[in-house]
Amino acid sequence: MNTATAPLSRTTVTLHWLMALAMIGLTSVGLYMAEFEVWALYPIHKSVGILVLLLAVLRAAWRLKEGWPAPTGQASALQQTLAKAVHWLLLLSTLAMPISGMIFSGAGGHGFGIFGLTLMDHRLDPNKPGEVLPLNAGLSELAHSLHSLIGYVLIAAVLLHVAGALKHHLLDRDASLRRMLGRSTP
C-alpha cells in the first residue's frame, strides 16, 4: 500500500478531530461571549483554552515528527501550495489563539487558570472594587486585537479546509476524507 492510500495513524486522526472540535467550539463560544457579553463563560473559555494549547503543542510536535500526509490524488502546483498554506495557517493559529488569549487576559490584569486552579491571579484594584489593574494595557490591547484577528483567520482557514476536503471527496473522488476518518482506501 503506498503512502497516499495508507490509512493515517490513530494518533494523527485523533489529534486532528480533537483539535477541530476544540477550536470550532472555543471560537464559537468566544464569538458568542464577545457579542452578548456573557461574562460567566470567560473562566470556562480560558480553562478550556489552556488545555487546548497543550493539545495544540502536542499536535504540532506530532505533525513535525510525522510530516504532512502524502496527497491522495493529483493536484496542480497552485492547489498544493494553497493546501499547504491552509494547513500551516490551521496549525499556527491553533497555537496562537490560546497564547494570545492568555497574554490578553494576563496583561490586562484579569488572570487565568484551569477550572479553579489559578495560574495567573487577577490584579484587583484596591481603590475600585470589582476592577482590575492591568500589568501592561498596551500589550493586553495588542493581544486582544491579535486574538480577535486570529479567530477570524482561523474561521476562514477552517472553511477553506472543509471546502478542500469536500472537493477531494465529491469532485476528485480521492481518498483524502476517508483517510482522515481512519479508513483504509483501495
Side-chain angles (χ1 to χ4, degrees):
M1 194 179 297
N2 72 34
T3 58
T5 58
L8 299 172
S9 72
R10 282 185 193 229
T11 303
T12 297
V13 172
T14 300
L15 288 172
H16 173 273
W17 290 108
L18 282 175
M19 185 56 63
L21 292 172
M23 293 309 293
I24 290 168
L26 274 175
T27 303
S28 299
V29 169
L31 289 169
Y32 174 77
M33 289 181 337
E35 179 67 26
F36 298 104
E37 298 181 352
V38 183
W39 310 122
L41 291 177
Y42 276 80
I44 297 167
H45 182 79
K46 292 178 190 182
S47 294
V48 174
I50 293 167
L51 295 176
V52 167
L53 175 59
L54 299 174
L55 181 64
V57 168
L58 178 63
R59 183 166 186 271
W62 182 257
R63 176 57 55 229
L64 293 173
K65 176 189 173 289
E66 292 291 304
W68 299 102
T72 57
Q74 297 297 319
S76 70
L78 176 62
Q79 287 175 328
Q80 289 178 28
T81 300
L82 288 173
K84 284 182 183 178
V86 169
H87 283 112
W88 274 106
L89 264 177
L90 288 167
L91 187 69
L92 294 174
S93 64
T94 60
L95 293 164
M97 276 297 283
I99 291 170
S100 63
M102 290 167 64
I103 294 170
F104 162 42
S105 188
H110 295 282
F112 53 85
I114 302 174
F115 299 108
L117 174 66
T118 300
L119 300 177
M120 183 173 191
D121 212 354
H122 288 79
R123 291 195 60 213
L124 297 175
D125 187 338
N127 300 319
K128 298 178 186 169
E131 302 228 358
V132 295
L133 291 170
L135 286 171
N136 185 325
L139 180 60
S140 180
E141 279 299 314
L142 175 63
H144 178 248
S145 295
L146 286 173
H147 195 65
S148 181
L149 175 65
I150 295 164
Y152 289 112
V153 168
L154 179 63
I155 291 167
V158 166
L159 291 173
L160 287 170
H161 186 65
V162 169
L166 291 174
K167 175 205 171 280
H168 279 284
H169 190 70
L170 299 173
L171 299 178
D172 300 343
R173 299 195 182 279
D174 68 25
S176 297
L177 185 58
R178 288 188 302 274
R179 188 172 68 168
M180 189 46 75
L181 292 171
R183 299 183 184 139
S184 60
T185 57

